[in-house]
Each structure stands twice: as structure tokens, then as C-alpha cells.
Amino acid sequence: MIKNYFKIAWRSLIHNKLYSAINIGGLGIGMAVSFMLLLYVYNEFTFDTFHQNNDRIYKVMRNQPANAEIHTGDATPVQVAGALLKDYPEIQAAARTNNGYDQLFNYNNKPLKFNLISVDPSFLNIFTLDFVKGNKTDAFKDPSSVIMTESSVKALFGDKDPIGQTVKLNGSQLVKVTAIIKDLPENSTFKFKALIPWSLYETMQPWVKDSGWGNYSFSTYAMLKPDVNVDALNHKVKDLIARNDPRNKENQLFLYLFKNYHLHSEFKNGVNAGGSIEYVRLFLFLAIGILLIACINFMNLSTARSERRSREVGIRKVVGARRIAIIQQFLGESILTAILAFVVALIIMAFVLPYFNYIIHKQLSIPYHTYWTWLIAIGVTLVTGLLAGSYPALFLSSFKPVKVLKGSNSGGKKTLHSRQILVVVQFVFATYLILSSILIYKQITYIKNRPVGYTQNGLVEFFMEGNMYKEFENFRRDIINSGAVVDAAATSLSIANAGSSSWGITWSGQLPGEDKIPIDQMVVSYHFTSTYGLTVLQGRDFAEDRPSDTLALMLNEAAVKMMRLKSPLGQIVKWQGKNCTVIGVVKDFVWASPYEPVKPVIVGFDKGWAGEIGMRLNPKAPVSKSLASIEAIYKKYNPEYPFQYKFVDESFDSKFQTERLLGTLSSSFTILAIVISCLGLFGLASFSAEQRKKEISIRKVLGASISSLWFNLSKEFLQLVIISFLIGAALSWYYMNRWLAQYTYRTDVSWWVFIATMGISIIVCMVTISWQAIKAALSNPVKSLKNE
């Protein structure tokens, strides 16, 4: 019997090639997009879950009260790991890490940069690392050892066995390769390519060993013993800072489940407020929505062919077929269609997935080798087939044999209204996406046009490393003399990304508790404002002919306002334990989030803090020629290191990556939703024209023009589109206002956005249905009326 159903289903698909192709193609596209989105959702939900003890691994975090708010961060003092192990028996292991960044590895005069982090040996027991050569017990026995990943080993050593080989790190430190591990999965918080022991890090950076409890520059992780009550432990851990550093007794530590941090990393007033999970939920909603409108499209196209299938149903019922058997037959057809659509979806995914990965900056892949993937995919396919085929099966099996064999069967207004509701659902979804896409791009444009407070064009930065620490002044002199650069300065951080703050800062007229407020800080050398194009509103920049400037600082406008300094120049501000004189006030510049108000910033002077070099290219010289000149001079002073630079405007532009991703996906899925919805509208127009062919013929005989017939057929669909627009616009207005509310600087929801969306919807509707409407209006009325 089942074989019979599928045989009939196959014949039906072959007999109606056009409708079958539209059905299979529409469903296949919907399934392909949904599966790719579900791959992304799965990738995000399984982030950091590959560690064997992921339910017992915690990230140590802190709550810092200041100015009636609680600031939450994940930076901790270097002593925290040892104190946790010593004072809390519930903790099985604890480890410290520094912030990983690219460092130079040189083997046989082959210099390459890899992301390197320094860790305690216990890190290897807390986190799951798959050792290919060597083992975690012996990997760090040698204090000058290094563990490398397979990809970094392949790049540096080729096919040679690296175990026991000596590598020069950062041009001077010799390290020996003691183990090789597999590269971590793509959905891992850690992105390192090499690990060195913490003891070696302290040797290379002596200040680390001497840093006190007030230096929050490191990450700490803890693995709890089985069955530990985390809430009870957090109640005890929160006072760890107060016991060891009374000056910062307000700071409270807590343990946060490591695997949850990726999706739930935002905190407001010490309470978790979500994070990336909001976008993951959105993608899940899109996956379900697109699959749903593809199913609705299938339903509408299937029922649009009801006139052609009605006699078949009537004859089958006359010869004794029960309704359940007819339902099973039509469900069999829809399942077969879904299976074919699944094959089409796999083909589409194979071609489109690389582009999807490029958009979302991921490396997703279809896990063909896992059985659960096929079980889920087949399950979704069967459910899709049953869902898409349920309404057509119930509708077609309800035909009365006497009516259909007489040729007078009509689904009536009830069935037409059912399909109209389905089309409205499709266009509500499409309208919502159109409006959302426009508003997302409007918000991005609004923020990108916000003045940043400095000149980005022609501004280039690169890391200060190797000999550049001692040769910077000579390097600066030579690149300016070459004509490639008009000015250059050393800074602690890139001007495109904030990443350092300090507290314990005092000034005259300070209110109680204000010394606990974290204030962003940037430490610079001479020529800072001229290089970066900042505006000095009062006072001056640091000057080489003023030795006293080593105890000076500048403030931005926000800092002056926060400190309530009416005459800031000459005021004494205690910063980094030194009484510094305010010598200048710079205009506010966007350093942190471009979506938020500019925060107070202290610009201090200390050559020892240099970490970046900023250069203002000569606008009169070709960029490529200037960069070539700079590279030649760079190699003169720092021959072991590659010259790797970045343009500040490109670095700043990366701040919009999440919103741009959301906008790109939203616009892509909007187009897809419109296409699929149009197929559904096409099906409904076909059904309507078929149902009303006698009415059209009578109107035509009575003298109706083609234009009046076209308008008569089109107006009901325009009504559906208008209804869809009103519902979709209301939903979009509500949710987009909520989305925009998270930004301090945000665009408004303009009236023209709704008019534009309405116009797009009407144009799409008219283009879709006009072909069917004109075809019906041009048909010969004799053919439709002769059976009367």
C-alpha cells in the first residue's frame, strides 16, 4: 500500500512538472536556509561544551560598586588563583591566564606570529586539550617549554617532528617544544595556538610577580569538586578581596559557569542581563519562520491545483476508497516532496554555506559523519512533509464525489479564507523583516555618521614589539624625514579600542565614593594630539622641552565634567599613585562603544607603557609608496619582526560587526521571505482565478474590459497585503523600538520607513498576481461556460 502511495505521488509530481519544481524548489530553499541557521544556533549553544568537566569549570568574576552602580568584569589580581585553592576546599583546581595576543616564533630564520597565552600547569587539568604528542603531566616540567597546536606546528616546522626542537620567542627567549595538541574547536572561547608555563611568563615579564592585589590584569578559572553548591561557595568567595586588599574591600568575587559566558556575558548592576543569546534566539526565530512560510507556500500551491485533483478524489471515493486512505496518499506525496526538497537543500547548502560562513565569520560545516545529524535532518524533513501536507490532504480528501464528478465542486469562501490567512501570515513575516532590515541599516548609518572626535583618514597603527621599544624615537625621525609620515606617537592602546581603566583616582572637591569609580586611561608619549588629530580645547599636549610633564596629564571633556573642575588647568589629580598636574583638556573622542556616551578618559604620560605606534600618513604621497617606505625603515630597526599594520578607520569599523551581520542576514532573509511569500501568493492567485473562471467569463460576455477584470481579481490580494502590512508594521514597531532602546545614541523610527515598506509590499504583490489575473482576463469565456 505504501509503495502504491509513493508510486502515485511520483507520477503526480512528474505529470505536473512546473508546480512540482516550484514546490520542491521553494521548500528546498526554505529548508536549506533553516538548516544553516540551525547549524549556527547549534554551534552557539555548544560553545565551550567540549571540555569534559564543563559543568564544573567556572570563570572568576568581580562586582565593583561605584557611583550607585555595580560594574561587572572578568579581570582579577594575579594572587586570586592561589588564594582560592588555599582557602576553599570546594575548589579542586585553579589557574591563571594572561590576555593572549600574537607573538613572534622563529625557527631556522622562519618568523611567524601565533596567538600565545601563559597559563598555570593546572590549566591543562581544568580544560580538555587533546594531546597528539607529549602529555599534560610532563608538558610543563621544563620551565622553558611550549605547547603548540597542530596547525601552528605545520606552519612553522612543515613535516619535521617538532618535539624537542628549540624556538626563539619574541626575538630573544628560547623555548623548547614539549607537546603538540589538536587545534581547539571553532566554537571555543580560547583561540590560542601556543601555551607557555606561567613561571616563564614571570621570567619574561618580572612586573607580573610583583603586581599587587590592586592590579586587575589577569583571568582566573576554577574547577570545583563534584556536587559543590555554587551559590553557597559564592557567598563565601565574595569577601576574598576584602580580606586581602582592604583598600578595595567593596569589590566582590563570584564564580560564573564558564560554558555560559559566551552567550550570557552582559551584566547590569551585578545581575546577568543576557548577551549574545538574544541574537541566537533571533536566528532560531528566523529558522522556524522561514521553514514555516515555505510550508505555507507548499500548502497554497498544493490546494491551488485542487480543481485538477478533484475528479481523481471523486472517482477514488466512488470505487470505495475511505477518506483516511486519500489523506495517506496526499501525505505520502507531501513527504516525497519534502524528501526531494531535502536533497535540494543539501545541494544548496554545499554551495551557499561557504558564503554564509564568510558573512557570520564562522567556520560551520555539515557534520555528515555523525548519525544524530541525519536523524535530526530526516526528522525535520518528515515533520516538514507532514506539516506542509496536512492542510492539502484534509482539504482534498473532503471533496464530495457527486459534486466533483458533476464539475460543480467549490471549496467555498471557507477554504479560500483559510488560504488567505496563510498568505497573510507569510506577508506579515516578510513585512516584519523588511521594516527591521531598513531600521537596522538606518541605525548603523546613524552611528557611523556620529563624529568620533579625531581624524581617522590616513591614520595607521601597529604593535610596538622587539627593538621598537628602544628605537622608537629613531624610527619616528626617519619615517618623518622620508616624507611617508607627517607625525607619529606611541600609545598604550589603540585609539580604536578602549581596554584599560583605573580607580583610586582622587582630585580636589571629590565626593565620598568617587575614588572607586573606574576611569578609562590611555598612556601616551609626545605628539599624541597632533598625530591623532584630537582637538586641544584648553592648555597643551605633552612637550619634550618640559621635563615636568612626566608628572602631568590631560583630561577629556567628560572627565572634566565628572570631576566638576571649573578651571581644570593646573589642578592636581592623583593617578597611578602620583600627584599629576592637568596641563590640557581634549575634546571628547569616541574610544569605547560608539553607541554609548563618551566616557571620562585620563591621558597620562609614561614611555614605559607604550604598546602601540600611531602614524599620520602624508596626505600628499601615495599610500602604497608611504607604507613601503615605512616597512623598509621598520626592517632597519626591527629586522626579525614582520611589519603588520592596520588602518584605524578599519579597526573602528569592526565595532559595527554585530549590527552589520544582523543587517546583512536580515536583508538576505527578507529577500528570501519575499520570494517564498510570492510563490504562496502566486498559488492563491491561481486558485482564485480557477474558482472564479465562470464569474470572469460571464463578466467578459457582459462587456467587462480586461483592465476592470484585472483590477477585480487583484483588489482582494491588495487587501491581504494591506492587512499583512498593518500587522507586520505593528510587530516591527514594537520589537525594533525595544531593540533600539538598548542604544543611548539611536535613530528614530521614521514615517518614511513604513511608507517605503508599504510601497515595496504593493509592488511585489502586483507583480506576482498580475500574470495570473491577466491570464484569466484574456481566457476564452466559451471554454468556461460550455459545461453549463
Side-chain angles (χ1 to χ4, degrees), residues 538-550:
Q538 297 181 50
R540 59 179 177 81
D541 196 352
F542 303 106
E544 293 178 86
D545 58 353
R546 295 177 183 250
S548 61
D549 279 1
T550 55

Side-chain angles (χ1 to χ4, degrees), residues 447-448 450-454 456 493-501 518-522 534 556 558 587-602 648 651-657 659 743-745:
I447 294 297
K448 289 186 75 173
R450 176 189 175 191
V452 295
Y454 60 95
Q456 292 183 338
L493 294 165
S494 167
I495 198 169
N497 295 291
S500 178
S501 62
I519 300 177
D520 287 348
Q521 61 184 4
M522 177 182 280
L534 280 88
N556 71 342
K587 187 175 181 180
D588 281 342
F589 59 97
V590 179
W591 192 27
S593 170
Y595 298 100
E596 300 298 331
V598 173
K599 294 181 178 180
V601 177
I602 290 176
V648 169
S651 300
F652 186 83
D653 197 53
S654 66
K655 292 174 180 283
F656 306 99
Q657 180 177 318
E659 285 72 21
Y743 302 110
T744 304
Y745 290 97

Side-chain angles (χ1 to χ4, degrees), residues 538 555-566 568 585 600:
Q538 297 181 50
L555 303 174
N556 71 342
E557 293 174 282
V560 171
K561 184 179 179 180
M562 185 200 73
M563 296 178 183
R564 299 174 301 280
L565 303 177
K566 293 181 179 179
V585 176

Side-chain angles (χ1 to χ4, degrees), residues 169-213:
L169 178 61
N170 291 332
S172 57
Q173 180 66 48
L174 297 179
V175 293
K176 185 169 68 175
V177 180
T178 55
I180 304 171
I181 58 174
K182 287 187 177 180
D183 287 88
L184 296 177
E186 198 275 339
N187 58 344
S188 170
T189 295
F190 296 113
K191 304 298 180 186
F192 60 78
K193 294 296 181 181
L195 298 167
I196 59 172
W198 192 264
S199 57
L200 178 58
Y201 177 55
E202 290 180 334
T203 301
M204 295 167 61
Q205 305 286 346
W207 64 269
V208 174
K209 204 172 200 177
D210 300 327
S211 65
W213 279 88

Side-chain angles (χ1 to χ4, degrees), residues 327-618:
I327 290 174
Q328 289 172 348
Q329 177 199 325
F330 286 119
L331 285 177
E333 287 185 21
S334 66
I335 290 173
L336 178 60
T337 302
I339 292 171
L340 293 173
F342 173 63
V343 175
V344 171
L346 288 178
I347 296 171
I348 292 172
M349 287 177 69
F351 285 99
V352 178
L353 192 57
Y355 174 69
F356 183 65
N357 283 333
Y358 171 77
I359 292 175
I360 64 174
H361 305 287
K362 300 282 185 183
Q363 291 300 319
L364 305 180
S365 59
I366 304 172
Y368 296 106
H369 58 283
T370 57
Y371 72 90
W372 58 264
T373 303
W374 292 104
L375 288 176
I376 293 173
I378 292 169
V380 171
T381 302
L382 293 177
V383 170
T384 301
L386 291 171
L387 178 64
S390 57
Y391 176 69
L394 293 171
F395 171 68
L396 292 170
S397 65
S398 67
F399 288 167
K400 303 298 181 185
V402 175
K403 287 187 177 182
V404 296
L405 292 177
K406 284 176 64 180
S408 60
N409 183 71
S410 174
K413 289 186 177 180
K414 184 178 179 181
T415 53
L416 184 60
H417 288 167
S418 300
R419 279 181 292 282
Q420 288 173 338
I421 291 170
L422 293 177
V423 168
V424 167
V425 170
Q426 283 183 309
F427 269 88
V428 164
F429 188 73
T431 300
Y432 176 85
L433 287 179
I434 293 171
L435 279 166
S436 300
S437 297
I438 294 173
L439 288 171
I440 289 168
Y441 277 110
K442 196 166 177 282
Q443 170 67 4
I444 294 173
T445 304
Y446 177 81
I447 294 297
K448 289 186 75 173
N449 290 336
R450 176 189 175 191
V452 295
Y454 60 95
T455 308
Q456 292 183 338
N457 292 337
L459 194 56
V460 177
E461 291 181 325
F462 63 90
F463 287 119
M464 180 177 279
E465 51 193 352
N467 293 334
M468 293 308 296
Y469 287 101
K470 60 183 180 181
E471 297 288 355
F472 168 68
E473 293 299 336
N474 293 328
F475 171 75
R476 177 180 178 276
R477 181 198 63 233
D478 287 358
I479 58 176
I480 292 175
N481 290 339
S482 72
V485 168
V486 295
D487 213 342
T491 64
S492 57
L493 294 165
S494 167
I495 198 169
N497 295 291
S500 178
S501 62
S502 181
W503 58 90
I505 300 164
T506 60
W507 59 88
S508 177
Q510 187 176 62
L511 298 177
E514 285 188 330
D515 60 323
K516 303 300 181 184
I517 300 175
I519 300 177
D520 287 348
Q521 61 184 4
M522 177 182 280
V523 186
V524 303
S525 67
Y526 304 114
H527 317 290
F528 171 63
T529 57
S530 57
T531 298
Y532 284 91
L534 280 88
T535 302
V536 181
L537 299 175
Q538 297 181 50
R540 59 179 177 81
D541 196 352
F542 303 106
E544 293 178 86
D545 58 353
R546 295 177 183 250
S548 61
D549 279 1
T550 55
L551 291 175
L553 54 78
M554 294 188 290
L555 303 174
N556 71 342
E557 293 174 282
V560 171
K561 184 179 179 180
M562 185 200 73
M563 296 178 183
R564 299 174 301 280
L565 303 177
K566 293 181 179 179
S567 301
L569 297 184
Q571 294 285 339
I572 302 299
V573 176
K574 188 174 183 180
W575 170 75
Q576 294 295 326
K578 301 177 294 185
N579 290 323
C580 299
T581 303
V582 178
I583 62 168
V585 176
V586 297
K587 187 175 181 180
D588 281 342
F589 59 97
V590 179
W591 192 27
S593 170
Y595 298 100
E596 300 298 331
V598 173
K599 294 181 178 180
V601 177
I602 290 176
V603 181
F605 180 89
D606 192 329
K607 290 184 177 181
W609 281 45
E612 294 263 350
I613 294 175
M615 302 178 296
R616 172 72 57 188
L617 297 181
N618 187 345

Side-chain angles (χ1 to χ4, degrees), residues 261-275:
Y261 187 75
H262 176 70
L263 293 180
H264 304 269
S265 58
E266 290 186 11
F267 290 80
K268 289 184 179 179
N269 276 324
V271 179
N272 186 262

